[in-house]
């Protein structure tokens, strides 16, 4: 949600106590647009656009993505824990031994 609010120019407010949700909504959204400019609204902090893995919720620079449900993981798993899709590890093609060229005699 923090990334979506930053992209759209909105305001992201983390409310630690659910009991204060109504107070926060009334304080931020009840005044009309012209009055909101006079309020000291929360400023946007720097947003980290890295994705979090589904298994450990760690922020990742690189990860594995399920091609079916787009879940992100920090390590490869052959079965996606989210959608149960099965994946195979890519294998290298078997190489045949190269034939030696026969020397041409003149």
């Amino acid at each position: 949600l923090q990334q979506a609010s930053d992209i759209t120019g909105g305001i992201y407010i983390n409310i630690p106590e659910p009991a204060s949700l109504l107070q926060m909504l009334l304080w931020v959204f009840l005044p009309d647009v012209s009055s909101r400019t006079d309020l000291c609204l929360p400023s946007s902090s720097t947003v980290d656009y890295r994705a979090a893995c589904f298994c450990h919720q760690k922020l990742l620079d690189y990860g594995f993505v399920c091609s079916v449900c787009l879940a992100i993981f920090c390590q490869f798993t052959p079965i996606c824990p989210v959608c149960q899709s099965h994946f195979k590890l890519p294998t290298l093609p078997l190489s045949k031994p190269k034939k030696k060229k026969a020397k041409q005699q003149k």
Side-chain angles (χ1 to χ4, degrees):
L1 292 176
Q2 191 175 17
Q3 294 173 356
S5 67
D6 186 55
I7 291 170
T8 59
I11 299 172
Y12 174 80
I13 302 171
N14 185 14
I15 301 173
E17 294 290 326
S20 63
L21 176 62
L22 179 62
Q23 178 185 1
M24 186 63 71
L25 289 174
L26 290 173
W27 174 63
V28 174
F29 298 109
L30 186 63
D32 60 349
V33 178
S34 61
S35 299
R36 286 185 203 167
T37 57
D38 298 331
L39 294 175
C40 294
L41 297 175
S43 61
S44 61
S45 60
T46 58
V47 179
D48 192 358
Y49 283 98
R50 292 182 294 173
C53 71
F54 275 57
C55 46
H56 304 102
Q57 281 70 44
K58 294 188 310 184
L59 294 178
L60 302 174
D61 291 322
Y62 299 99
F64 297 92
V65 179
C66 173
S67 59
V68 177
C69 67
L70 300 179
I72 301 168
F73 300 100
C74 56
Q75 47 191 312
F76 176 78
T77 55
I79 300 173
C80 176
V82 177
C83 67
Q84 306 304 319
S85 295
H86 296 268
F87 299 103
K88 294 180 182 177
L89 283 172
T91 57
L92 296 175
L94 296 174
S95 61
K96 296 179 182 177
K98 294 184 179 180
K99 295 180 182 178
K100 293 183 180 180
K101 292 183 181 180
K103 291 184 181 180
Q104 293 179 352
Q105 295 179 358
K106 292 186 180 181

